[in-house]
């Protein structure tokens, strides 16, 4: 059975999909449906330009609102980037780091990940550090090696006492936006690898505080099943987080 010593965490990644009006509509609907947030954590990751508006609506609710990326320097000549402090200033309390689209479309380097995670923590932003193998890596039996390499870089500057503020998202690249979900066994195996690595890196007590989410074609009809997999503490949802009709049933995966 699933280990529920960690609070379930359901996160929506809106990517570059919703305009301002749709973003505000959706956040109002989610806020209206969310209870006191005591039994689960819910957050949405929003384009930086709408963060101020979305956080203003979310205020007073337990809903988390985060950025989709950051640059690790505090200030300087970095055209097009946003600093951790800028995210805080517009109300974000968390941030995605190393999302597959950042790594693959925008060629973000492994070497940056540790500094990004550190910069987020130092600015009181809760990072979700995203990792996952490509189809070629899976076919070449390199899944475990890839995950460990990505963990090494992301956790380079992490201290055991940071653990309660950290979340890892396992998102196989081949399952993102494809409609293809990893099998329960593939998810369980990857999550076990990640947890084992965490225990070795920060010790069992600290590792037990880190939540590990699954992401990749999560839908209302597979959310409950995915959440029942041992070691899955939550879900990172892309496409299905864009509409209340699909995101709410995922948030309420165990209530139906
Ligand atoms: P998806 O995206 O749910 O549309 O597959 C997941 C993600 O990219 O985080």
């Amino acid at each position: 059975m699933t280990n529920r010593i960690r609070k379930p965490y359901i996160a929506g990644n809106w990517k570059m999909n919703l305009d301002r009006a749709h973003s505000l509509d959706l956040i109002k609907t989610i806020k209206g449906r969310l209870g006191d947030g005591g039994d689960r954590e819910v957050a949405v990751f929003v384009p930086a330009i709408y963060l101020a508006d979305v956080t203003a609506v979310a205020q007073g609710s337990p809903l988390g609102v985060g950025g989709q990326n950051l640059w690790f320097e505090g200030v300087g000549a970095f055209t097009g980037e946003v600093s951790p402090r800028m995210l805080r200033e517009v109300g974000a309390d968390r941030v995605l780091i190393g999302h597959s689209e950042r790594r693959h479309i925008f060629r973000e380097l492994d070497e940056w990940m540790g500094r990004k995670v550190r910069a987020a923590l130092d600015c009181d932003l809760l990072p979700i550090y995203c990792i996952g193998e490509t189809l070629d890596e899976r076919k070449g039996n390199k899944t475990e090696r890839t995950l460990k390499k990505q963990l090494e870089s992301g956790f380079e500057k992490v201290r055991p006492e940071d653990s309660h503020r950290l979340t890892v998202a396992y998102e196989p690249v081949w399952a993102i936006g494809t409609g293809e979900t990893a099998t329960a066994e593939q998810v369980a195996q990857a999550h076990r690898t990640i947890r084992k690595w965490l225990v070795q890196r920060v010790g069992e007590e600290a590792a037990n505080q880190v939540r590990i989410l699954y992401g990749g074609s999560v839908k209302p009809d597979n959310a409950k099943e995915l959440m029942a997999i041992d070691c899955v503490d939550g879900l990172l949802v892309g496409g299905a987080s864009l509409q209340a009709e699909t995101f709410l049933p995922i948030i309420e995966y165990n209530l139906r």
Side-chain angles (χ1 to χ4, degrees):
M1 233 355 253
T2 312
N3 181 348
R4 284 280 172 259
I5 57 170
R6 292 169 289 272
K7 196 187 219 187
Y9 186 178
I10 310 294
N13 175 9
W14 291 354
K15 308 192 181 184
M16 205 180 72
N17 285 306
L18 299 174
D19 61 16
R20 185 173 175 278
H22 284 100
S23 301
L24 295 179
D25 265 2
L26 184 52
I27 201 75
K28 275 179 207 149
T29 310
I30 301 169
K31 182 181 175 180
R33 258 295 262 281
L34 215 60
D36 63 4
D39 63 343
R40 71 201 65 206
E41 188 165 336
V42 179
V44 288
F45 291 85
V46 176
I49 197 152
Y50 300 140
L51 274 169
D53 296 324
V54 171
T55 54
V57 176
Q59 217 169 26
S61 81
L63 202 49
V65 180
Q68 299 175 358
N69 183 31
L70 56 66
W71 186 240
F72 51 75
E73 298 285 357
V75 66
F78 303 104
T79 304
E81 292 295 320
V82 255
S83 74
R85 193 159 303 282
M86 289 169 178
L87 290 176
R88 290 289 305 171
E89 239 179 4
V90 288
D93 67 350
R94 60 198 71 208
V95 65
L96 295 179
I97 291 175
H99 186 274
S100 145
E101 284 142 24
R102 298 299 320 167
R103 292 179 190 265
H104 294 102
I105 304 174
F106 301 100
R107 303 262 181 257
E108 288 207 7
L109 303 178
D110 253 356
E111 293 92 278
W112 298 344
M113 299 303 151
R115 295 181 72 181
K116 285 185 169 225
V117 170
R118 187 71 254 160
L121 291 169
D122 287 347
C123 220
D124 258 340
L125 288 163
L126 303 167
I128 295 186
Y129 179 54
C130 306
I131 61 174
E133 82 286 1
T134 62
L135 191 55
D136 277 353
E137 285 163 340
R138 174 158 289 275
K139 284 183 176 162
N141 281 326
K142 292 189 189 128
T143 299
E144 197 169 318
R145 194 192 305 172
T146 302
L147 298 181
K148 285 182 179 168
K149 186 165 163 273
Q150 292 172 335
L151 286 167
E152 294 288 350
S153 54
F155 276 66
E156 197 189 338
K157 296 176 189 303
V158 160
R159 298 183 282 266
E161 60 269 28
D162 300 317
S163 300
H164 66 286
R165 297 193 288 151
L166 279 167
T167 302
V168 175
Y170 168 61
E171 298 199 296
V173 178
W174 48 272
I176 296 179
T178 58
E180 200 173 328
T181 319
T183 66
E185 187 41 41
Q186 287 169 330
V187 176
Q189 202 176 353
H191 280 232
R192 275 197 298 268
T193 299
I194 296 166
R195 192 150 296 289
K196 209 167 134 197
W197 185 92
L198 288 171
V199 170
Q200 278 166 0
R201 174 68 171 74
V202 294
E204 187 153 4
E205 201 185 326
N208 276 341
Q209 299 180 303
V210 180
R211 283 177 293 190
I212 308 174
L213 317 184
Y214 168 78
S217 299
V218 175
K219 304 270 180 290
D221 57 10
N222 62 18
K224 189 172 184 175
E225 196 183 320
L226 286 162
M227 285 301 289
I229 300 170
D230 197 28
C231 287
V232 173
D233 302 310
L235 303 167
L236 180 53
V237 189
S241 74
L242 301 175
Q243 287 178 316
E245 303 82 76
T246 45
F247 195 40
L248 292 173
I250 297 175
I251 294 173
E252 297 167 353
Y253 68 93
N254 59 342
L255 304 177
R256 297 181 306 143

